[in-house]
Amino acid sequence: MMSSNEIREKFLSFFESKGHQRVPSSSLVPHNDPTLLFTNAGMNQFKDVFLGIKKLPYTRATTAQKCVRAGGKHNDLDSVGRTARHHTFFEMLGNFSFGDYFKKEAIAYAWEFLTEVLMLPKEKLWVSIYEKDDEAFYLWQEVAKIPPEKIVRMSEKDNFWAMGDTGPCGPCSEIYIDRGEEHRCDSPECKLGVCDCDRWRELWNLVFMQYNRDEEGNLTPLPKPSIDTGMGLERIATVMQNVYSNYDTDLLRPIIAFVENMTGKKYFGDDRGFPFRVIADHIRAVTFLIADGVLPGNEGRSYVLRRILRRAARFGRELELNDPFLYKIVPKVVELMGDVYPEIKKSQDYVQRVIENEEIRFGQTLSEGLRILKEGIAELEKDGKKTLPGEMAFMLYDTFGFPLDLTEDVAREKGFGIDKKTFEELMEKQREKAKAARKEEYPVDELYEVLAPLDTTIFVGYDSLKAEAQVKMITVGKEPVTELDTGKEAIIVLDRTPFYGESGGQVGDTGYIYNENFRFKVIDTKKTPDGKIYHIGKVEEGTVSINDKVNAEVDEIRRKNIMRNHSATHLLHKALKIVLGDHVNQSGSLVDSERLRFDFNHYQALTEEEIERIENIVNEAILDNLTVNIKHTSLKEAQEEGAIALFGEKYGEKVRVVAMGDFSKELCGGTHVKSTAEIGLFKIVSEGSIAAGIRRIEAVTGKNLINLIREDQRVLERTSNYLKVGVYEIPEKIQDLFTQLKEKEQIIDELKDKVLNYKVKEILEKVEEVKDVKVLISELEDMNLEDLRKISDFIKNRFKPSLVILASQNEGKAVFICAATKDLVDRGINAGTVIKEVARIAGGSGGGRPDFAQAGGKYPEKISEALNFARKFVEDRLLS
């Protein structure tokens, strides 16, 4: 039996022998591509190459790419565990040609690898092709000697691949293996292209990228056709290990065995084994996603991760795993895959902590969600209904992370169906909202096409803030012009420039472009993906023309402040890893002349002690006067040296490494100080959460920090004068004032309680008896919710059974409370249901527990009407 590790290595070695560059797997987070939630195919990291935006020093590549398909166009989540071959996480083996070889070679390589390296029987292999691709039809016969009856033509839907609605596209050809009659389905015509059963196992998809599709759908041949292939490791391992399901391979079966040991239950490959398969698949996905910087949350990829994790946790309950358990399986995943993907081995402890925290949270959420669902079903049963509203199913999905199938399971037990149509409508609205918020990446910049004819700008700003240059283009908006007069706003492109174009979190430079005939003020500088730097600004005097010889001069003071802040972010990044752990990675940054902002992944707030340690480490590195060394090297060598790659950056084969002594080493194209001492001082001014699992630090350095210290000192002195104490006595004085304030508040509360007790005597006279229940429905003057609660508690303690509905005007709004004793709740009365109906009359809403609920309303003038409704509601519906 050939192990999955052997298959992976044989594949990569085979294509290396055919002149392909072995390229490491990219992150599951597709940086700089907002069109994708996750890396879902091997070609993702080469997208810019296929689009012609980026060039590599090689034209052939091979990869083993980690992938996740659990959101967006490619979403296999709900199929996972139900079939033998669907996964959220999987590995894609691929070979790629960037304008090098094409169909004939791709077919030859695939056939050779399958039949001569893996030794699969030729007579069992079939292929599908795009129905109009006659070239592929003849090539399969010529190269692989496949008889025509084993070449199946399929439609555009099945065998024509496209990167998007427009852009590179082309026919594809899939290779299948016939696993034999024993795996056939019940269809009378079980054959490739007709059924989709497990007899016909798809192994490999060869995409022939040969056309460009325009907005009208027209196809034109690409000047350099390319190849993109993908073969799922799990699927080919199933064949090579002669097992029925992907879950029976050495990639997943050991995880299932681990769960068997945890539960004391046996796995079976039928429906009884469904929970085992879900857990085995999902734990791989969450382990790799968290290791790549994704944390559970409520939006985007964070939400998808949370859903995967919670789905696995829920199925654990079917195996009687009611306490957190998923985090205990992580070491098994690391044991199986950590040598191939060392990032999960490096972050194992961190991954386990994140998963355990989420499992604990979900345990609480699951209980609450099930309670709400069961209460909702009970209310519907009272009204004789047997269909759960789609709105409720969506709320449980959106708020509590309940997959629809969980809601269906609970509803089914009670004999309920679900309004799936409304649920899907709400889901579609959510998808459209997410789609509208998502930016399309291409074209990245509006000026991209306008500036395309120009050569890449020569940047000289690392060594000098002044340069002589020539004007190559002037545009007003996106329209090129030949000259520009005083007062006109425009964009100027030079052949060479000292101005840094905004990128990598560093803002663009400002300054002046000028000669004896004009002066152009640069207010910002930006850069296109292919290296054209353009200067945005306004002509202050004179006229500038195409081909003018000019001087370009950067604002030196501003640039130096930016350099201090940028170098400080490198020191901060390293300090965060030292204090918090190696799992910390940059997830965004802003470096300008006033401050630095650094976003990073971490699962909890920093303590005061941690912030102090981070500041101390950074300032020690500054005081050590570390030399900042810059060198250019290969990406591979830089990574081997331990250089950190930053979030959101795309790197070519040659990279720029910024090293600060032996302390910090990062890949970076930004501008930096010559030595860390130039930073001066470093101070964190804020730390907080900006998204689920993402923290943000803001800090200042150098002269800006001196200014901040001076301002803080002024505030302290003003406060000192106001309190009439010394600066160092301020905390003690404020504490004394707080103590006095609390004492006075306590006196006020005691007086309010006395007044309230007096009012209660009057209120008791308003208590009525309906059937055997004491009922108080009343409007009270100028009371807040806490006052109303106290009165309701008094009534509930004095009378049983009792129901209290109180209202008052407070700060220009209506407030309501409803309270019921436990014996009334046991009889089916729900305070939450009552309060919603009552508050609706006053233009409000609310909710709470069955024994106590509260609400607000926009129209206090309708309190009387709402309470009259409450009396009728109580008499007619609750106490009848």
Side-chain angles (χ1 to χ4, degrees):
M1 182 185 82
M2 189 178 293
S3 72
S4 57
N5 285 338
E6 288 177 300
I7 297 169
R8 186 192 300 108
E9 183 55 38
K10 282 181 180 292
F11 182 91
L12 296 173
S13 296
F14 172 79
F15 280 101
E16 277 187 311
S17 74
K18 303 296 183 182
H20 293 64
Q21 174 73 38
R22 185 187 295 214
V23 179
S25 171
S26 64
S27 168
L28 285 171
V29 179
H31 298 157
N32 267 4
D33 191 348
T35 65
L36 287 175
L37 270 181
F38 303 111
T39 298
N40 59 25
M43 63 79 58
N44 290 163
Q45 68 170 305
F46 302 116
K47 187 173 179 179
D48 284 355
V49 183
F50 285 123
L51 287 167
I53 293 174
K54 179 180 177 182
K55 289 186 178 180
L56 297 172
Y58 48 85
T59 57
R60 301 180 177 199
T62 184
T63 64
Q65 174 66 52
K66 53 188 179 182
C67 300
V68 164
R69 290 186 179 175
K73 177 182 176 183
H74 299 289
N75 185 359
D76 293 337
L77 181 58
D78 292 330
S79 299
V80 171
R82 302 185 191 280
T83 72
R85 62 186 188 274
H86 284 97
H87 300 287
T88 52
F89 174 89
F90 62 96
E91 292 180 81
M92 185 74 85
L93 306 175
N95 60 287
F96 309 91
S97 164
F98 312 120
D100 189 339
Y101 62 83
F102 197 45
K103 288 184 188 179
K104 184 174 183 178
E105 294 86 348
I107 289 171
Y109 292 151
W111 190 252
E112 182 183 349
F113 179 74
L114 291 176
T115 62
E116 297 182 26
V117 178
L118 297 188
M119 304 299 291
L120 294 179
K122 296 178 182 179
E123 65 275 10
K124 290 188 176 183
L125 296 178
W126 290 59
V127 295
S128 68
I129 61 170
Y130 175 47
E131 57 191 358
K132 297 179 182 179
D133 192 357
D134 292 332
E135 182 184 11
F137 180 74
Y138 292 115
L139 281 172
W140 275 112
Q141 296 176 68
E142 175 192 336
V143 174
K145 309 303 180 190
I146 291 185
E149 61 270 19
K150 285 192 172 185
I151 304 172
V152 181
R153 293 180 185 264
M154 292 190 182
S155 66
E156 180 174 343
K157 176 178 175 291
D158 296 308
N159 277 62
F160 196 93
W161 181 91
M163 189 177 291
D165 294 335
T166 61
C169 57
C172 58
S173 182
E174 296 167 323
I175 307 172
Y176 293 80
I177 188 166
D178 179 0
R179 305 184 74 197
E181 282 288 328
E182 64 271 25
H183 294 290
R184 70 163 290 151
C185 61
D186 296 330
S187 171
E189 192 177 17
C190 178
K191 68 178 185 178
L192 184 62
V194 175
C195 66
D196 187 33
C197 71
D198 283 322
R199 172 180 178 175
W200 308 98
R201 178 59 57 89
E202 178 195 335
L203 300 180
W204 207 339
N205 187 12
L206 314 180
V207 176
F208 309 131
M209 210 177 299
Q210 65 187 95
Y211 300 111
N212 184 66
R213 176 181 281 153
D214 63 23
E215 293 178 354
E216 296 178 357
N218 299 314
L219 298 178
T220 56
L222 291 171
K224 290 186 176 181
S226 298
I227 291 293
D228 160 27
T229 82
M231 176 163 59
L233 177 60
E234 289 77 9
R235 294 192 183 193
I236 191 64
T238 301
V239 174
M240 298 306 299
Q241 294 170 17
N242 195 29
V243 292
Y244 170 72
S245 163
N246 292 4
Y247 293 93
D248 298 319
T249 67
D250 62 347
L251 288 162
L252 288 151
R253 191 61 180 85
I255 301 175
I256 291 174
F258 189 90
V259 178
E260 285 181 308
N261 291 332
M262 290 179 74
T263 61
K265 299 178 183 295
K266 293 299 292 180
Y267 167 72
F268 298 95
D270 55 18
D271 290 343
R272 289 171 294 172
F274 182 47
F276 287 93
R277 293 192 291 273
V278 171
I279 292 167
D281 171 89
H282 288 10
I283 191 60
R284 295 205 309 166
V286 299
T287 297
F288 275 86
L289 285 170
I290 294 169
D292 275 1
V294 184
L295 289 171
N298 295 322
E299 294 182 357
R301 54 180 65 99
S302 293
Y303 176 75
V304 176
L305 168 61
R306 171 166 282 170
R307 188 181 172 204
I308 296 171
L309 200 157
R310 291 184 170 188
R311 189 170 189 259
R314 179 176 73 82
F315 277 104
R317 281 166 169 75
E318 295 193 15
L319 301 177
E320 299 179 13
L321 293 168
N322 296 315
D323 295 325
F325 71 94
L326 286 169
Y327 75 97
K328 298 176 182 178
I329 313 176
V330 173
K332 189 64 182 179
V333 178
V334 172
E335 176 191 323
L336 293 170
M337 308 187 75
D339 290 338
V340 180
Y341 299 101
E343 63 270 20
I344 64 171
K345 183 182 292 186
K346 187 177 180 182
S347 56
Q348 177 180 320
D349 292 341
Y350 169 67
V351 171
Q352 286 189 270
R353 288 199 302 272
V354 172
I355 293 175
E356 184 181 15
N357 287 340
E358 183 66 14
E359 286 189 272
I360 292 169
R361 290 183 62 184
F362 183 51
Q364 300 162 349
T365 300
L366 183 62
S367 301
E368 180 68 9
L370 287 172
R371 182 187 67 77
I372 290 172
L373 176 56
K374 289 175 180 176
E375 284 181 5
I377 289 174
E379 289 293 324
L380 291 166
E381 283 180 321
K382 287 181 184 178
D383 295 334
K385 297 178 180 177
K386 283 294 181 181
T387 301
L388 193 75
E391 291 86 352
M392 178 175 285
F394 180 77
M395 180 273 291
L396 289 166
Y397 169 86
D398 197 45
T399 304
F400 295 96
F402 273 39
L404 182 62
D405 55 354
L406 169 58
T407 305
E408 283 182 306
D409 289 344
V410 177
R412 194 180 301 116
E413 291 171 6
K414 299 290 185 179
F416 272 68
I418 293 181
D419 176 10
K420 288 187 178 180
K421 181 181 178 183
T422 301
F423 176 85
E424 287 300 332
E425 288 172 354
L426 293 168
M427 284 293 295
E428 185 59 31
K429 286 181 182 178
Q430 187 186 65
R431 292 187 197 104
E432 289 299 322
K433 185 177 178 182
K435 185 178 179 181
R438 190 184 300 148
K439 297 178 182 177
E440 294 296 331
E441 178 171 344
Y442 299 101
V444 175
D445 191 281
E446 291 183 357
L447 290 169
Y448 183 78
E449 292 183 6
V450 178
L451 304 183
L454 299 178
D455 292 332
T456 299
T457 310
I458 300 170
F459 178 64
V460 298
Y462 291 131
D463 303 312
S464 175
L465 299 182
K466 298 179 182 179
E468 294 180 352
Q470 184 178 35
V471 176
K472 304 303 290 185
M473 182 176 282
I474 305 170
T475 71
V476 177
K478 291 189 287 183
E479 295 299 321
V481 297
T482 57
E483 64 179 24
L484 200 68
D485 297 327
T486 302
K488 298 288 186 179
E489 296 180 355
I491 286 169
I492 291 180
V493 184
L494 307 176
D495 61 340
R496 59 203 308 270
T497 182
F499 285 79
Y500 184 84
E502 179 181 346
S503 60
Q506 180 175 328
V507 298
D509 282 330
T510 61
Y512 283 93
I513 298 171
Y514 61 92
N515 63 20
E516 65 274 11
N517 298 318
F518 80 98
R519 187 174 179 83
F520 180 86
K521 183 176 182 179
V522 178
I523 60 172
D524 199 2
T525 308
K526 295 186 180 295
K527 182 170 64 175
T528 65
D530 56 347
K532 280 96 172 187
I533 298 174
Y534 57 96
H535 312 81
I536 304 168
K538 182 178 182 179
V539 179
E540 290 188 340
E541 58 180 320
T543 301
V544 56
S545 303
I546 288 290
N547 297 324
D548 276 359
K549 298 291 185 181
V550 300
N551 297 303
E553 186 171 336
V554 174
D555 181 334
E556 182 176 359
I557 294 175
R558 182 175 180 274
R559 164 70 89 79
K560 286 184 175 179
N561 284 337
I562 293 170
M563 289 161 63
R564 291 187 184 98
N565 286 336
H566 199 156
S567 297
T569 63
H570 286 219
L571 300 179
L572 172 61
H573 195 177
K574 180 64 176 181
L576 286 167
K577 286 181 175 288
I578 292 171
V579 174
L580 304 180
D582 282 336
H583 67 273
V584 170
N585 284 301
Q586 179 178 329
S587 59
S589 72
L590 174 68
V591 179
D592 63 23
S593 61
E594 302 295 325
R595 59 178 176 142
L596 65 93
R597 188 180 76 200
F598 192 84
D599 301 338
F600 60 99
N601 59 308
H602 191 57
Y603 54 91
Q604 62 187 21
L606 274 61
T607 65
E608 288 184 14
E609 292 77 12
E610 287 171 334
I611 290 174
E612 188 172 317
R613 279 187 64 200
I614 292 163
E615 285 181 339
N616 287 342
I617 290 170
V618 173
N619 281 308
E620 284 170 11
I622 291 170
L623 292 173
D624 285 342
N625 192 22
L626 304 175
T627 301
V628 178
N629 291 309
I630 311 290
K631 80 169 184 177
H632 293 81
T633 186
S634 68
L635 177 60
K636 182 179 180 182
E637 183 180 335
Q639 291 172 329
E640 289 173 351
E641 291 177 357
I644 298 172
L646 299 186
F647 175 89
E649 289 295 308
K650 291 190 176 183
Y651 301 102
E653 283 307 297
K654 288 294 181 181
V655 294
R656 184 172 182 262
V657 181
V658 178
M660 299 180 183
D662 294 327
F663 181 79
S664 166
K665 185 178 291 184
E666 294 191 8
L667 308 186
C668 181
T671 61
H672 290 275
V673 297
K674 300 296 183 185
S675 71
T676 57
E678 294 178 38
I679 298 171
L681 294 169
F682 171 87
K683 173 69 179 173
I684 294 174
V685 295
S686 69
E687 186 278 334
S689 172
I690 59 167
I694 304 295
R695 314 287 308 172
R696 170 171 291 172
I697 280 177
E698 294 197 3
V700 291
T701 66
K703 294 179 180 178
N704 291 316
L705 179 50
I706 293 172
N707 293 335
L708 177 65
I709 293 170
R710 284 174 178 159
E711 182 57 33
D712 287 348
Q713 185 64 32
R714 292 190 194 102
V715 170
L716 283 171
E717 289 172 355
R718 287 199 298 270
T719 306
S720 170
N721 293 334
Y722 183 77
L723 296 175
K724 295 182 173 56
V725 295
V727 167
Y728 295 105
E729 298 174 282
I730 290 174
E732 186 178 342
K733 179 65 176 178
I734 290 176
Q735 185 60 51
D736 289 343
L737 291 173
F738 270 123
T739 301
Q740 293 174 32
L741 182 61
K742 283 185 178 180
E743 290 172 352
K744 288 179 169 57
E745 286 176 345
Q746 186 174 350
I747 293 171
I748 292 169
D749 287 340
E750 290 171 356
L751 290 172
K752 284 178 69 176
D753 285 343
K754 288 180 181 179
V755 173
L756 202 59
N757 289 333
Y758 177 76
K759 286 187 177 182
V760 166
K761 294 177 183 178
E762 295 181 357
I763 291 168
L764 284 173
E765 298 175 1
K766 300 180 180 180
V767 175
E768 305 173 65
E769 187 164 324
V770 180
K771 294 289 180 72
D772 61 334
V773 179
K774 295 292 185 181
V775 177
L776 174 61
I777 301 176
S778 181
E779 178 182 1
L780 304 176
E781 291 184 9
D782 195 27
M783 288 196 176
N784 58 33
L785 285 168
E786 184 58 30
D787 294 337
L788 297 180
R789 179 194 282 271
K790 287 179 180 179
I791 292 172
S792 72
D793 288 344
F794 178 85
I795 300 298
K796 284 171 62 180
N797 291 331
R798 186 178 179 105
F799 302 112
K800 292 181 181 175
S802 61
L803 176 68
V804 180
I805 303 174
L806 299 175
S808 183
Q809 290 192 42
N810 186 258
E811 297 181 354
K813 294 183 179 180
V815 292
F816 299 89
I817 64 103
C818 178
T821 51
K822 185 178 183 301
D823 43 7
L824 277 186
V825 173
D826 293 340
R827 287 160 58 176
I829 292 175
N830 188 313
T833 303
V834 175
I835 206 70
K836 284 180 183 177
E837 294 295 326
V838 173
R840 182 172 53 80
I841 304 297
S845 63
R849 305 187 309 272
D851 64 331
F852 183 84
Q854 63 189 43
K858 294 184 287 187
Y859 310 120
E861 65 273 13
K862 292 193 174 184
I863 287 178
S864 295
E865 181 183 344
L867 293 181
N868 287 334
F869 172 83
R871 288 187 181 90
K872 190 172 187 310
F873 187 87
V874 168
E875 292 172 0
D876 293 350
R877 298 191 57 184
L878 297 178
L879 302 178
S880 59

